[in-house]
Amino acid sequence: MKKGLLIVISGPSGVGKGTVRDKFVKDPELNLAYSISMTSRSMRPGEHDAVDYYFVSRERFEEAISNNELLEWTEFVGNYYGTPKDKVEELREQGKNVLLEIEVEGAMSVKAKCPEALTIFITPPSMEELEKRIRGRRTEAEEIVQQRLAKAQREMNLVSEYKYVVCNDDADLAAELISVIIKRHM
Ligand code: 5GP
């Protein structure tokens, strides 16, 4: 059986990666499996453990780092985020195309370890629009919003490290473009 693709999607926080993803993951032809990340951040309203993330304590996360359980990990705005390694390999061996939705530092370490990874960056139509979307979420303190915006700016500087760049002006269109890109690589 052909090994599945490793697909890495990044984009600044608030760009709408989740919305776009929810649209293209429904396409059965893509044969996708979403890799659920581990995080030490708290759950937002509407999120579920083992669906959106594996929500763990900082101690448990640090144990996962020491045990080499993660393909990559990073600290983002005061919290840990990382990709559990075993599941990714297992799914790819089963022929599934595995999707990681991670920030740029993590994406760069995945690229170094797995140069065959298909990397896609989602950009906002403008930084003003991004700020509006981050504030629209209304779940975070101003300080965190500022940190997310600063990180977004740094992330935008790494766009050229990705194989494809898709603008999320219209989520349906962005999802369609990503489907086409994945199909071209299957
Ligand atoms: P949020 O707190 O908004 O859910 O996620 C913050 C950022 O962490 C997003 O850019 C998201 O893509 C990224 N992220 C989520 N999971 C992982 C992961 O496993 N590894 C890395 N490096 N980043 C992640």
Side-chain angles (χ1 to χ4, degrees):
M1 185 191 286
K2 197 174 158 211
K3 192 173 174 182
L5 298 171
L6 179 59
I7 304 159
V8 177
I9 296 201
S10 302
S13 130
V15 78
K17 292 183 295 267
T19 311
V20 173
R21 181 191 74 211
D22 288 346
K23 293 178 186 288
F24 70 78
V25 291
K26 289 190 194 120
D27 184 345
E29 280 178 46
L30 297 179
N31 192 24
L32 288 175
Y34 178 64
S35 156
I36 302 169
S37 295
M38 189 185 274
T39 185
S40 66
R41 92 149 154 73
S42 2
M43 221 185 272
R44 291 190 191 126
E47 285 184 332
H48 301 281
D49 187 36
V51 175
D52 299 283
Y53 285 103
Y54 295 109
F55 293 95
V56 300
S57 63
R58 288 186 73 83
E59 292 68 30
R60 169 67 192 106
F61 200 104
E62 284 164 5
E63 183 186 282
I65 298 170
S66 322
N67 294 345
N68 199 20
E69 292 172 39
L70 304 171
L71 173 64
E72 60 72 39
W73 65 272
T74 195
E75 208 165 354
F76 178 96
V77 192
N79 289 301
Y80 289 125
Y81 294 82
T83 305
K85 191 158 54 181
D86 288 0
K87 202 79 191 151
V88 170
E89 266 317 290
E90 189 186 309
L91 289 164
R92 287 184 75 196
E93 291 299 340
Q94 291 166 8
K96 285 273 181 198
N97 297 315
V98 178
L99 178 67
L100 310 185
E101 191 193 296
I102 61 180
E103 55 66 66
V104 290
E105 280 171 37
M108 293 307 106
S109 48
V110 170
K111 214 175 116 177
K113 284 183 193 163
C114 313
E116 77 282 9
L118 171 59
T119 55
I120 304 171
F121 191 94
I122 304 184
T123 60
S126 67
M127 291 311 277
E128 290 73 29
E129 177 61 27
L130 185 72
E131 180 163 354
K132 220 161 83 188
R133 290 183 194 174
I134 292 180
R135 291 191 182 283
R137 212 147 55 190
R138 288 177 212 277
T139 53
E140 284 158 342
E142 179 59 23
E143 190 194 345
I144 302 290
V145 169
Q146 288 302 332
Q147 287 176 27
R148 283 186 182 266
L149 284 169
K151 169 82 178 177
Q153 194 58 62
R154 292 198 299 279
E155 295 204 295
M156 294 293 287
N157 296 336
L158 285 169
V159 164
S160 61
E161 295 288 333
Y162 288 74
K163 196 167 174 70
Y164 296 96
V165 181
V166 172
C167 175
N168 182 19
D169 196 358
D170 173 314
D172 286 318
L173 180 58
E176 242 178 88
L177 289 171
I178 292 174
S179 285
V180 169
I181 293 168
I182 296 171
K183 284 175 191 164
R184 284 295 297 268
H185 283 264
M186 279 165 65

